[in-house]
Amino acid sequence: MTGPTPKPWIMEIAPYVPGRSTTDDGRKVAKLSSNENPLGTSPHARAAFESAAGRLERYPDASGTELREVLAAKYGLDPARIIYGNGSDEVLHLAAGAFAGPGDEVIFVHYGFAVYEIAARRVGATVVVAPEKDYATDVDAILACVTERTRIVYIANPNNPTGTYASREEIARLHAGLRSDILLVLDHAYAEYIEGDAGDGGMALAETAPNVLVTRTFSKMYGLAAERIGWGYAAAPIIEAMHRIRLPFSITIAGTAAAIAALGDTGFVEHTKAHNAQWRRWFSDEIAKLGNAGLRAVPSQANFVLVLFEGELSAEAAYKGLMDAGYIVRWLPGQGLPHGLRITIGTEDETRGVAAALRKLAGAD
Ligand SMILES: *Cc1c(COP(=O)(O)O)cnc(C)c1O
């Protein structure tokens, strides 16, 4: 007797591989594999989370009213046009669910975030992969992939796993080159880490354009990855369509309380941003000193750095060597990067330690 047959497009999905937290032999080591906040979480967020323990028997507010209102006030948005989900991952899935299906095409870049491919394939859409230019998002290459079947373009800006950033002008040019019936999803999971520029203009586009969805998360800068709170902003018809397929209670009371408190703790956010900028720069400089050994850091505006191994030391050997030295980083052969390691900026000790271990592996000591 045979059991039920999964849809063929489901079986074409390569399962998501999360960042590891233990070594092969089960040792607990520094986890620099999931771009989490090395400074933890705002104490206000933790207190708010704990205060929710008295309400465990209650369902959360299915319309997320308080979260939407707080976000709208903070960013000057219309609360009716905010959607939220179980991490921004859910919001990314809702976009595919509402706007793509069998026969439709969904575009993202080769070194893109793995969730876009899963979200597109889940709904039976065809994935179209655009090449990068030296690891950075190439607007012309994306526009060249557009056909009459294109329904969605997903861009992470800054991008994961490359850390590269497309300027406001480039994003405007991408948007201008797309038909208005194509949904442009701008994934701003790392937007808080951008230095210098105030942002890529995505929110302003989402405010006025009929076809732009910006997604944000509490998992990275706000240090709330465990609580799974993400959100998005777009024109009302986009949000309305996505709400129809959203799980009614996808965000929890405790997570929502923690997110609202975290949003108010600007000191924690500023501190995290300054820490990240300082150690990202320091780490990238350290990698530059290993250029003779073929190591190269891709310029990053996020909370991690993609290190390329173009000499004798391979990324795979470095990955294993770092694990032996007590650091778990992300090796990404499944994402077309067998020659790269994505390394999260950790605490000062972790960042100095992983740089020293890489120096040793590269034979520079
Ligand atoms: C981490 C990350 C997310 C956020 O995921 P959550 O579901 O909100 O935890 C979204 N997009 C990218 C590119 C990421 O790296």
Side-chain angles (χ1 to χ4, degrees):
M1 265 190 300
T2 57
T5 308
K7 303 313 283 180
W9 54 84
I10 299 298
M11 300 317 285
E12 279 166 25
I13 294 174
Y16 183 81
V17 183
R20 299 174 52 162
S21 40
T22 51
T23 60
D24 290 330
D25 53 11
R27 275 179 301 132
K28 193 113 178 83
V29 293
K31 186 183 179 202
L32 303 175
S33 58
S34 295
N35 303 339
E36 293 146 340
N37 191 329
L39 307 180
T41 307
S42 156
H44 298 287
R46 195 171 313 124
F49 176 84
E50 283 166 4
S51 76
R55 285 175 286 162
L56 291 180
E57 74 285 10
R58 298 287 176 205
Y59 272 106
D61 169 16
S63 51
T65 308
E66 192 186 357
L67 179 65
R68 287 188 296 108
E69 281 173 359
V70 171
L71 287 168
K74 175 154 178 114
Y75 295 106
L77 306 173
D78 175 359
R81 291 167 54 188
I82 293 175
I83 190 153
Y84 44 86
N86 189 258
S88 48
D89 286 354
E90 186 189 5
V91 181
L92 297 167
H93 273 277
L94 293 176
F99 295 100
D104 296 334
E105 293 174 356
V106 174
I107 301 175
F108 44 83
V109 296
H110 182 207
Y111 308 123
F113 184 43
V115 166
Y116 309 150
E117 177 160 359
I118 297 173
R121 289 193 188 279
R122 175 188 179 185
V123 299
T126 302
V127 308
V128 177
V129 176
E132 278 89 350
K133 202 150 90 196
D134 198 23
Y135 299 92
T137 298
D138 179 348
V139 165
D140 295 306
I142 293 169
L143 291 175
C145 289
V146 172
T147 74
E148 61 184 21
R149 291 168 176 259
T150 305
R151 295 291 171 266
I152 302 178
V153 176
Y154 283 106
I155 297 287
N157 201 31
N159 186 44
N160 173 15
T162 60
T164 55
Y165 175 64
S167 69
R168 182 178 288 257
E169 292 72 32
E170 286 296 280
I171 295 297
R173 200 161 70 79
L174 171 60
H175 179 250
L178 295 174
R179 295 190 314 268
S180 65
D181 65 305
I182 297 173
L183 178 63
L184 174 60
V185 180
L186 295 171
D187 177 344
H188 282 186
Y190 301 98
E192 293 89 349
Y193 295 99
I194 298 166
E195 258 191 303
D197 200 338
D200 68 3
M203 270 302 176
L205 279 176
E207 188 66 67
T208 53
N211 64 331
V212 176
L213 169 69
V214 169
T215 63
R216 306 278 304 250
T217 183
F218 284 92
S219 299
K220 308 286 158 60
M221 174 71 86
Y222 291 99
L224 284 171
E227 279 311 295
R228 320 298 312 121
I229 308 280
W231 59 283
Y233 193 67
I238 295 174
I239 298 299
E240 205 261 335
M242 291 165 71
H243 269 302
R244 288 169 189 255
I245 53 171
R246 181 173 63 74
L247 296 178
F249 305 106
S250 57
I251 60 174
T252 63
I253 290 178
T256 303
I260 289 169
L263 214 51
D265 191 348
T266 47
F268 179 81
V269 169
E270 295 292 314
H271 179 51
T272 296
K273 182 171 178 172
H275 170 89
N276 186 71
Q278 176 184 352
W279 292 101
R280 178 176 68 198
R281 198 173 310 120
W282 182 87
F283 184 70
S284 302
D285 289 348
E286 289 299 300
I287 297 301
K289 293 178 192 163
L290 302 177
N292 286 343
L295 274 65
R296 169 158 82 102
V298 175
S300 172
Q301 286 279 37
N303 66 345
F304 56 85
V305 174
L306 177 65
V307 180
L308 303 172
F309 293 77
E310 297 165 329
E312 209 167 300
L313 176 65
S314 71
E316 183 175 13
Y319 173 69
K320 290 178 177 157
L322 288 177
M323 193 169 322
D324 289 340
Y327 300 92
I328 296 196
V329 301
R330 193 74 159 259
W331 180 43
L332 295 158
Q335 280 177 258
L337 288 164
H339 56 299
L341 296 182
R342 193 195 69 191
I343 302 177
T344 304
I345 300 303
T347 61
E348 173 176 348
D349 279 358
E350 289 167 343
T351 309
R352 287 187 184 279
V354 76
L358 272 174
R359 275 186 75 78
K360 206 163 167 193
L361 288 163
D365 277 345

